[in-house]
Amino acid sequence: MSIKYLIILFCFLLLVPLTYADATASFLGDKELIYDFDKPKGETFSLTRVIRVTLGNESGRNIQDLSVSFYGIDGITASIDDASKSFYLNPNTHKDITVTFYASSSMEEKTYTGGVLSITGTNLASQNITGFTVKINYPNPTIRAIWDKVDWGNVKAGTSFKRILTVEEYYGYKNASNVTVLIAEIGPAELLYSGEIGDLDPLESKNIQVNVTIPQKGLKPGTYNIKPIITSTSVITSEPQEAKYTIPQPKMEISKKTIDMGKITFEPGKDTTTRIITISEVGGFTPIEGLSFSLTNGPKGWVSIKGDDYIAPGESENYSFSITLPPDASLGDKDWAYDLKTHYAGKQTIYLYVTVYFPGIEEATGYLKNLSASTDSQEEKSLIQDTLLLLENAKGKTEIRKIAMVMSVYSGVRSLLSYLEDSEKDLIDGKLISSADAIIKANSALNKIRIGDENLEDAELKLQSSKSVTAAQNLWQRFAKNVLKDLENKAAETKENDYKVASLLYKRMSEISKYSGDEKKAREYQQTQQLLQDRYEKSLLSASEDVKKAEIMLRNARSKMFQLGEGEGTFYFVYNPLDYDEVSTNYESAIKNYETAESLYRKAGEIKDAERIAEELQILYKQKNQIFIAFVAYGSILVLTFIWFMGRVTIGMQRFKQDDRESSVGDVVIGED
């Protein structure tokens, strides 16, 4: 090329403006777009990817109006945020921009191919990026159960109300088949409802009416959750809503915690006293249950308490406290403390006090005269008369000690006659042990008469009280002798066949003999009582061991059998004929052990245990017979089956031989020409 043309080209390059290449875009990341829909239908679902804008020039460029679009797959769109649409790109650098791909929840659940991402912008080379695939995954039916009211608040015992549980498929993609709702963890509440929902289409809902009943009794305070459990033959996701209700603590109020029972004495109509208190439940929701009184302080046998152990919510109950003066009671102030306990309403203490005072001599005289008129026993009349003379002689005496000792004799005589009357009545009714106990108590009353007599220093009174002591001793000895005779006869009858009763009889015989002054007899009876007690304990131990052996035998036998049913109607079947002998032997051994245990329980005097074993024996007798009958029937079936089988085999062999012979008839024999 000539110099002239080179100069012209150089000048042209100096005068023409420089031009630069546009920026380019590339796609980074995976082109497979997988949408796992985890929200209800209608909501937006998106995924993000990155594109990189690169500039290779020596000079920077302003990228403007950058935009993306997606086509080739309906339902998928793409966009970038506004801040990324315009920017300055330095030379030889790049910028990463996030692209968001949106999927419509109305698309069909499958895999799509052929997606194209188009990228355009000022100073950017337009580009179509191909090869995108889209996979749509819809969730399983999502079923939730929603209560019309989540917190039911405090509930009242004995009330009923209704709640609505709405069951719905709320994601809207797939249906669920055979939906069932079970309401669990309900606490003490009783729920009546039908949990059969059936099929649920997408976005379909059905209501369950739940009838709630709160029992009147057996309520434990606390907050209880009500949890629905949703099941279906389809694979589902369940979202049950829990409800709750509260059984509050019962609140107890007592009208009076310290009770003045007044004064009582040893006279008819004056020897008892009653007071009433009111206990209320004031919370209004939960009853007071398990209300009971337990003595923590004070003499036993004086106080009786009547009243229910249950107080309904918001209601009140009356409780009566009655004191009956025992015949052998001492004088003075008496007090008691009772723990009032409940299941959940707390604990309180109730205090009672009463004063026991001497009856006046006139009152005591009147009582004995009435008592004398009501008895036909000359010995009793004599004792009463001697005591009346003692009381008459005590009139006009002012010394407290003398009066106290006279009244001790009177109180003892009164108690003695009362106990002897009880003993005679129990003896007639055949209640020997109760009769003997009354004789022993009468001896305590006799000691009270002796104490009063021994501490009397007045000679005139002493002379008369000694007569009361002698008459009381003679009367007690006569009653004790009669009771002791009947005790001996009964003990002889039961000594070999009822160790418990015989032991109790000999114990009373020993005590009565001791109080009668016959120490030798008392020791003999005590030794016999100890012997019977040992027999009783050994019999119970042996019976218990026999029962355990029988139970082991039965378990061994029943392990070889097939069981149908429960209780008395249980049917046992020996499925392996070879095990029948072992089963039968175990049953026989169990029956023998049970029979021995029954006999031992009867000898020990534990009749309830013996009757229980007898009932078990009756069941075993029936079962053993039923097992035998079933075995015979089963064996017969097996034998018949075997005979039938052998018959079929025999017939088959005969037919085979006949067919073989018939096949040889008609054979063609070719001879020589």
Side-chain angles (χ1 to χ4, degrees):
M1 182 180 293
S2 65
I3 297 299
K4 179 177 67 173
Y5 291 110
L6 289 174
I7 294 171
I8 293 171
L9 177 61
F10 178 74
C11 293
F12 176 78
L13 292 174
L14 289 175
L15 295 173
V16 175
L18 293 173
T19 59
Y20 302 97
D22 290 337
T24 60
S26 60
F27 185 80
L28 305 180
D30 189 2
K31 293 182 182 180
E32 184 182 22
L33 306 178
I34 301 176
Y35 290 89
D36 292 317
F37 284 64
D38 59 354
K39 298 177 183 178
K41 192 170 186 178
E43 296 195 24
T44 302
F45 297 85
S46 62
L47 294 173
T48 60
R49 294 290 189 270
V50 174
I51 60 173
R52 174 169 293 177
V53 179
T54 304
L55 181 65
N57 293 326
E58 296 298 326
S59 299
R61 300 296 296 272
N62 283 316
I63 307 300
Q64 296 180 342
D65 301 324
L66 180 64
S67 66
V68 295
S69 62
F70 192 89
Y71 60 90
I73 299 175
D74 292 339
I76 304 296
T77 59
S79 68
I80 59 175
D81 60 83
D82 291 340
S84 300
K85 291 182 178 180
S86 298
F87 54 89
Y88 180 79
L89 196 61
N90 290 317
N92 298 312
T93 59
H94 66 265
K95 179 178 178 66
D96 291 340
I97 298 173
T98 300
V99 179
T100 303
F101 294 87
Y102 298 95
S104 171
S105 59
S106 62
M107 297 175 69
E108 183 181 351
E109 183 180 33
K110 67 176 185 178
T111 299
Y112 298 82
T113 59
V116 178
L117 178 66
S118 176
I119 306 172
T120 61
T122 303
N123 295 324
L124 176 69
S126 297
Q127 190 167 353
N128 290 329
I129 301 173
T130 61
F132 283 89
T133 62
V134 174
K135 188 174 183 180
I136 302 296
N137 294 325
Y138 288 134
N140 294 322
T142 302
I143 302 176
R144 63 183 176 186
I146 303 174
W147 292 98
D148 60 338
K149 187 176 183 180
V150 175
D151 189 352
W152 300 354
N154 293 339
V155 295
K156 183 178 180 180
T159 61
S160 298
F161 52 91
K162 297 178 181 178
R163 291 273 84 88
I164 300 298
L165 180 64
T166 300
V167 181
E168 62 179 357
E169 199 297 314
Y170 80 102
Y171 262 38
Y173 300 106
K174 299 177 182 179
N175 68 312
S177 301
N178 300 319
V179 178
T180 302
V181 175
L182 171 68
I183 302 177
E185 301 179 11
I186 62 176
E190 298 171 358
L191 305 186
L192 181 63
Y193 63 96
S194 175
E196 298 296 330
I197 299 297
D199 296 341
L200 277 179
D201 291 331
L203 301 179
E204 183 183 8
S205 65
K206 294 182 181 180
N207 290 337
I208 298 176
Q209 179 174 293
V210 181
N211 297 311
V212 185
T213 299
I214 307 301
Q216 291 184 338
K217 297 183 178 181
L219 300 180
K220 182 179 180 180
T223 297
Y224 296 90
N225 293 325
I226 305 289
K227 183 178 181 180
I229 298 175
I230 307 170
T231 60
S232 170
T233 54
S234 304
V235 178
I236 64 170
T237 300
S238 64
E239 296 181 2
Q241 182 186 53
E242 292 189 12
K244 65 179 181 178
Y245 66 92
T246 300
I247 296 177
Q249 292 280 348
K251 297 179 181 179
M252 180 171 62
E253 284 189 0
I254 305 173
S255 62
K256 189 180 293 185
K257 297 180 184 179
T258 301
I259 308 173
D260 180 1
M261 302 297 292
K263 297 180 179 181
I264 53 177
T265 189
F266 300 93
E267 294 300 328
K270 298 181 180 180
D271 57 353
T272 62
T273 180
T274 299
R275 298 289 187 272
I276 294 176
I277 66 170
T278 300
I279 302 178
S280 305
E281 198 293 313
V282 297
F285 290 98
T286 309
I288 297 174
E289 299 185 70
L291 193 148
S292 64
F293 298 89
S294 59
L295 179 65
T296 58
N297 182 58
K300 297 179 180 179
W302 291 52
V303 181
S304 61
I305 305 172
K306 293 182 179 180
D308 201 348
D309 65 348
Y310 174 89
I311 303 176
E315 301 294 331
S316 300
E317 291 286 339
N318 290 331
Y319 294 81
S320 65
F321 291 78
S322 298
I323 293 179
T324 300
L325 186 63
D328 57 348
S330 59
L331 303 176
D333 294 330
K334 311 293 179 183
D335 58 79
W336 294 263
Y338 280 88
D339 276 348
L340 191 170
K341 298 178 181 178
T342 66
H343 287 339
Y344 306 111
K347 173 182 172 183
Q348 299 284 348
T349 302
I350 306 295
Y351 300 96
L352 291 75
Y353 61 91
V354 73
T355 299
V356 181
Y357 67 96
F358 265 135
I361 291 179
E362 293 296 335
E363 292 174 315
T365 300
Y367 174 78
L368 288 179
K369 286 180 179 180
N370 291 332
L371 187 61
S372 179
S374 64
T375 182
D376 296 328
S377 170
Q378 291 302 316
E379 287 180 291
E380 290 183 13
K381 286 182 179 291
S382 175
L383 173 59
I384 292 171
Q385 189 60 38
D386 290 337
T387 308
L388 280 171
L389 290 175
L390 175 63
L391 292 172
E392 288 292 336
N393 291 335
K395 290 180 179 179
K397 303 290 184 180
T398 56
E399 294 182 29
I400 295 177
R401 179 175 175 79
K402 290 181 181 180
I403 295 174
M405 293 304 104
V406 168
M407 296 310 291
S408 177
V409 173
Y410 159 73
S411 176
V413 169
R414 175 189 168 123
S415 299
L416 175 74
L417 293 173
S418 176
Y419 286 132
L420 292 179
E421 181 183 3
D422 292 341
S423 176
E424 186 175 36
K425 183 176 181 300
D426 288 337
L427 195 63
I428 293 172
D429 294 339
K431 301 176 181 178
L432 274 178
I433 293 178
S434 296
S435 179
D437 288 340
I439 288 294
I440 294 169
K441 291 178 181 178
N443 183 73
S444 299
L446 180 59
N447 288 334
K448 193 172 184 179
I449 299 172
R450 290 175 179 142
I451 291 171
D453 172 65
E454 291 169 0
N455 288 282
L456 268 175
E457 298 176 356
D458 187 291
E460 182 183 6
L461 297 176
K462 180 79 170 179
L463 178 63
Q464 197 59 49
S465 67
S466 298
K467 293 180 180 179
S468 294
V469 171
T470 301
Q473 288 175 338
N474 292 336
L475 186 62
W476 184 87
Q477 286 286 357
R478 181 175 69 82
F479 273 82
K481 183 178 180 181
N482 291 337
V483 172
L484 189 58
K485 182 179 179 181
D486 284 5
L487 288 172
E488 289 173 340
N489 292 336
K490 186 66 176 177
E493 294 177 9
T494 58
K495 187 175 180 180
E496 298 301 328
N497 54 31
D498 195 336
Y499 301 144
K500 182 170 72 171
V501 170
S503 175
L504 295 174
L505 293 173
Y506 273 100
K507 182 179 180 181
R508 269 71 175 178
M509 290 159 61
S510 177
E511 289 188 57
I512 293 173
S513 297
K514 178 181 177 182
Y515 296 145
S516 298
D518 193 342
E519 292 289 343
K520 181 179 178 182
K521 274 287 186 184
R523 286 194 296 272
E524 290 178 1
Y525 290 143
Q526 185 179 14
Q527 291 172 357
T528 304
Q529 187 268 333
Q530 186 59 51
L531 176 64
L532 291 168
Q533 181 68 25
D534 292 342
R535 288 182 181 177
Y536 170 77
E537 294 174 357
K538 289 179 181 178
S539 295
L540 291 185
L541 181 60
S542 297
S544 177
E545 291 176 352
D546 284 324
V547 169
K548 289 180 181 178
K549 290 177 182 178
E551 290 173 348
I552 292 172
M553 294 295 180
L554 286 176
R555 282 198 298 270
N556 291 339
R558 289 167 180 170
S559 67
K560 305 289 185 180
M561 295 187 291
F562 180 73
Q563 176 182 341
L564 290 174
E566 295 290 341
E568 287 190 29
T570 304
F571 181 85
Y572 290 100
F573 180 78
V574 181
Y575 46 78
N576 185 351
L578 299 178
D579 290 333
Y580 175 75
D581 287 341
E582 182 181 351
V583 169
S584 180
T585 300
N586 282 327
Y587 257 84
E588 289 174 359
S589 298
I591 288 172
K592 287 179 181 179
N593 280 294
Y594 271 133
E595 289 173 342
T596 303
E598 181 193 5
S599 175
L600 289 171
Y601 276 131
R602 291 192 186 280
K603 282 188 176 182
E606 296 297 339
I607 304 302
K608 288 184 178 180
D609 288 328
E611 294 297 333
R612 176 177 58 82
I613 296 299
E615 291 176 1
E616 184 67 23
L617 276 170
Q618 292 302 317
I619 295 173
L620 292 182
Y621 293 146
K622 292 179 182 178
Q623 285 182 0
K624 186 173 181 294
N625 187 50
Q626 168 257 307
I627 291 168
F628 172 74
I629 293 172
F631 173 73
V632 171
Y634 182 43
S636 299
I637 293 172
L638 291 178
V639 170
L640 290 174
T641 302
F642 179 75
I643 293 173
W644 174 83
F645 175 76
M646 293 303 298
R648 294 292 297 173
V649 171
T650 302
I651 293 171
M653 292 296 296
Q654 290 175 347
R655 288 180 177 176
F656 175 78
K657 291 179 180 179
Q658 183 178 356
D659 291 344
D660 186 55
R661 286 196 300 269
E662 290 177 351
S663 64
S664 63
V665 176
D667 287 349
V668 178
V669 178
I670 301 174
E672 297 180 359
D673 291 338

